[in-house]
């Protein structure tokens, strides 16, 4: 999809490009270029977040009254595209794109006043405590108990696949406060300080060699009931609202840049001369056009004050499966060099020598990390069930 940009939009694009040229350091560009998943380690994302916060550009999707930019949807798309083209590191989504919108919608005035400014500045770095051993796609089966005791809840249980828990000073959690009725009816949404006694974080290393994931254990952890978001036992409603923002987004800009880079790598390696490979490249480009259209529908709904609704499920399916197809094309472009494990050499600002062309460093780790994309945030099979039920009435 090609947007017809107005004179104001063209001027805004030049402003963004000038800002990125001036403030996006070589170190941050390299960190962004060597990202192998949607997450990047805290030192890089926070460094870039502080620069954007100083500029007032850290939360383009937030309302102006809470620190947003007031940009049009076209301007937001331009900004996302230019950041992707410049290899800017991604900001951690758990705070700005997940718990932030939830607090704006369900938080108390005190919660908004305390947490939203800290989200913008990066003073609070959040992780998400949803999945448990045995409760992943069937999230309503979660068992981590929160028992009222005076003004507190006492938590016991564990969470798993918790991205960046080893960096975070805050976690938002779904906990079990009742076993009566349907499983969804006994869940509560809590905000928790990771320094609270009784919390233990243990690493989970991925196939790519990265440490993004963790298991988090709660042993008699006391959390003030004032940290509850929404009503007790109504956390499922809050969680569904958050997942609409986790599944939706502006993914096409990054996917388009990623596909363009793979195309150039394939051309350099001579792979693009293969008609079968070139056909799959064209199919990926067509898929991206469909994703852009879906994003525009979602962004239009958000602009009108509506929730993304089932469109976020559709976009989650489209974007994650497109990303995996692009990764597969990247693996073929890397050839045999893609199978060489070079975890230390591919770290940002590493001075270690590496085998093969530079683009081969991240091809296989990116492929491994993004295999999980069709599972996290609600598996794509679950998303298809939601679409069948809500949209098609099946």
């Amino acid at each position: 999809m090609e947007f017809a940009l107005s004179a104001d939009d063209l001027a805004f694009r030049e402003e963004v490009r000038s800002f990125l040229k001036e403030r996006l350091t070589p170190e941050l560009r390299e960190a962004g270029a060597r990202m192998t998943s949607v997450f990047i380690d805290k030192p890089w994302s926070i460094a870039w977040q502080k620069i954007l916060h100083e500029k007032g550009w850290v939360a383009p999707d937030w309302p102006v009254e809470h620190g947003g930019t007031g940009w049009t949807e076209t301007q937001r798309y331009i900004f996302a595209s230019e950041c992707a083209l410049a290899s800017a590191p991604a900001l951690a989504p758990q705070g700005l794109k997940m718990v932030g919108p939830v607090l704006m919608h369900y938080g108390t005035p005190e919660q908004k006043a305390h947490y939203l400014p800290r989200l913008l500045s990066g003073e609070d770095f959040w992780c998400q405590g949803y999945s448990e051993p045995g409760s992943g796609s069937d999230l309503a089966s979660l068992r981590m108990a929160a028992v009222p005791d005076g003004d507190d809840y006492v938590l016991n249980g564990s969470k798993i696949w918790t991205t960046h828990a080893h960096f975070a000073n805050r976690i938002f959690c779904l906990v079990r406060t009742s076993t009566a009725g349907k499983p969804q009816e006994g869940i509560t949404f809590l905000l928790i300080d990771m320094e609270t006694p009784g919390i233990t974080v243990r690493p989970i290393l991925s196939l790519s060699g990265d440490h993004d994931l963790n298991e988090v254990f709660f042993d008699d952890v006391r959390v003030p009931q004032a940290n509850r978001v929404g009503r007790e036992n109504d956390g499922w409603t809050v969680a569904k609202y958050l997942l609409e923002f986790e599944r939706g987004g502006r993914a096409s800009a990054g996917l388009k840049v990623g596909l363009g880079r793979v195309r150039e790598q394939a051309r350099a390696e001579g792979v693009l001369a293969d008609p079968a490979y070139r056909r799959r490249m064209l199919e990926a480009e067509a898929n991206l056009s469909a994703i852009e259209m879906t994003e525009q529908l979602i962004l239009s709904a958000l602009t009108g004050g509506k929730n993304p609704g089932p469109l976020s499920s559709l976009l989650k399916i489209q974007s994650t499966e497109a990303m995996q197809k692009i990764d597969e094309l990247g693996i073929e472009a890397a050839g045999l060099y893609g199978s060489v494990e070079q975890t230390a050499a591919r770290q940002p600002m590493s001075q270690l020598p590496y085998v093969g062309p530079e683009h081969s460093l991240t091809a296989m780790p990116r492929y491994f990390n993004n295999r999980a994309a069709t599972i996290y945030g609600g598996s794509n099979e679950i998303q298809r069930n939601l679409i069948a039920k809500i949209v098609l009435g099946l």
Side-chain angles (χ1 to χ4, degrees):
M1 181 194 307
E2 295 296 332
F3 294 96
L5 299 180
S6 67
D8 288 343
D9 291 332
L10 291 171
F12 175 75
R13 185 174 67 181
E14 290 306 311
E15 181 185 2
V16 172
R17 288 177 175 176
S18 296
F19 170 74
L20 291 170
K21 183 178 180 180
E22 177 184 350
R23 300 302 306 276
L24 187 60
T25 65
E27 293 81 8
L28 289 174
R29 288 178 188 270
E30 183 173 321
R34 294 194 176 185
M35 284 180 61
T36 56
S37 74
V38 295
F39 302 100
I40 190 169
D41 283 354
K42 180 180 178 180
W44 305 107
S45 66
I46 284 294
W48 182 228
Q49 180 170 341
K50 289 185 181 300
I51 292 171
L52 290 173
H53 183 242
E54 179 185 342
K55 179 70 172 176
W57 287 3
V58 74
D61 297 315
W62 284 25
V64 173
E65 60 267 27
H66 292 304
T69 58
W71 291 343
T72 65
E73 295 305 331
T74 300
Q75 288 174 320
R76 291 172 184 147
Y77 183 87
I78 289 170
F79 180 70
S81 298
E82 294 301 323
C83 284
L85 284 166
S87 296
L91 302 184
Q94 296 96 323
L96 292 168
K97 293 186 178 296
M98 296 182 195
V99 75
V102 162
L103 288 171
M104 292 177 214
H105 192 76
Y106 289 101
T108 64
E110 294 78 13
Q111 288 170 341
K112 294 176 186 177
H114 178 73
Y115 288 111
L116 293 181
R118 295 165 64 94
L119 275 166
L120 292 172
S121 68
E123 185 175 355
D124 282 344
F125 193 86
W126 289 82
C127 59
Q128 178 187 50
Y130 274 23
S131 294
E132 299 178 6
S135 297
S137 293
D138 182 19
L139 187 59
S141 67
L142 66 88
R143 295 178 295 176
M144 191 172 100
V147 179
D149 183 21
D151 293 332
D152 297 335
Y153 291 108
V154 179
L155 277 55
N156 282 283
S158 67
K159 296 293 180 179
I160 200 168
W161 314 123
T162 312
T163 303
H164 285 179
H166 55 306
F167 290 130
N169 67 323
R170 295 284 187 275
I171 181 171
F172 55 92
C173 272
L174 294 180
V175 296
R176 174 69 57 191
T177 45
S178 174
T179 56
K182 295 180 179 180
Q184 293 89 340
E185 295 173 355
I187 293 172
T188 298
F189 192 105
L190 292 181
L191 310 175
I192 303 169
D193 185 338
M194 288 290 285
E195 297 299 321
T196 307
I199 296 179
T200 303
V201 178
R202 295 179 185 168
I204 299 174
L205 299 182
S206 64
L207 283 174
S208 66
D210 294 316
H211 176 199
D212 289 334
L213 305 172
N214 304 272
E215 191 164 11
V216 185
F217 297 88
F218 298 79
D219 183 13
D220 288 334
V221 175
R222 302 189 72 90
V223 178
Q225 293 195 29
N227 287 20
R228 184 182 66 236
V229 178
R231 297 188 303 273
E232 184 173 284
N233 298 325
D234 196 33
W236 190 251
T237 301
V238 181
K240 288 192 296 182
Y241 183 81
L242 182 146
L243 282 170
E244 290 182 9
F245 290 90
E246 180 178 359
R247 293 168 185 159
R250 203 170 287 105
S252 63
L255 292 174
K256 182 180 287 187
V257 170
L259 183 60
R261 287 174 178 156
V262 169
R263 186 190 302 108
E264 292 306 311
Q265 293 159 8
R267 180 178 288 112
E269 301 298 330
V271 181
L272 202 58
D274 178 7
Y277 183 92
R278 193 162 59 248
R279 177 184 177 85
R280 286 190 290 125
M281 179 71 69
L282 292 172
E283 288 173 348
E285 292 175 352
N287 284 339
L288 285 187
S289 294
I291 290 170
E292 286 183 296
M293 291 296 296
T294 306
E295 284 185 342
Q296 292 307 304
L297 290 172
I298 289 177
L299 296 174
S300 177
L302 291 173
T303 301
K306 301 177 182 178
N307 294 349
L311 280 174
S312 63
S313 293
L314 179 60
L315 181 59
K316 200 270 181 176
I317 295 169
Q318 288 179 309
S319 60
T320 54
E321 293 181 0
M323 179 167 58
Q324 291 176 349
K325 289 177 181 177
I326 293 171
D327 291 339
E328 291 170 6
L329 292 169
I331 287 289
E332 290 190 46
L336 292 175
Y337 292 118
S339 62
V340 182
E341 193 280 318
Q342 305 186 77
T343 303
R346 67 177 165 84
Q347 299 307 309
M349 307 311 295
S350 170
Q351 300 299 313
L352 295 174
Y354 49 83
V355 178
E358 186 174 1
H359 65 78
S360 68
L361 285 171
T362 56
M364 191 65 75
R366 186 175 287 120
Y367 171 84
F368 280 141
N369 279 327
N370 289 339
R371 297 314 296 171
T374 47
I375 301 173
Y376 60 59
S379 73
N380 284 15
E381 291 78 10
I382 297 294
Q383 305 314 311
R384 287 184 166 90
N385 286 343
L386 290 172
I387 293 170
K389 180 179 179 180
I390 298 173
V391 179
L392 302 178
L394 299 178

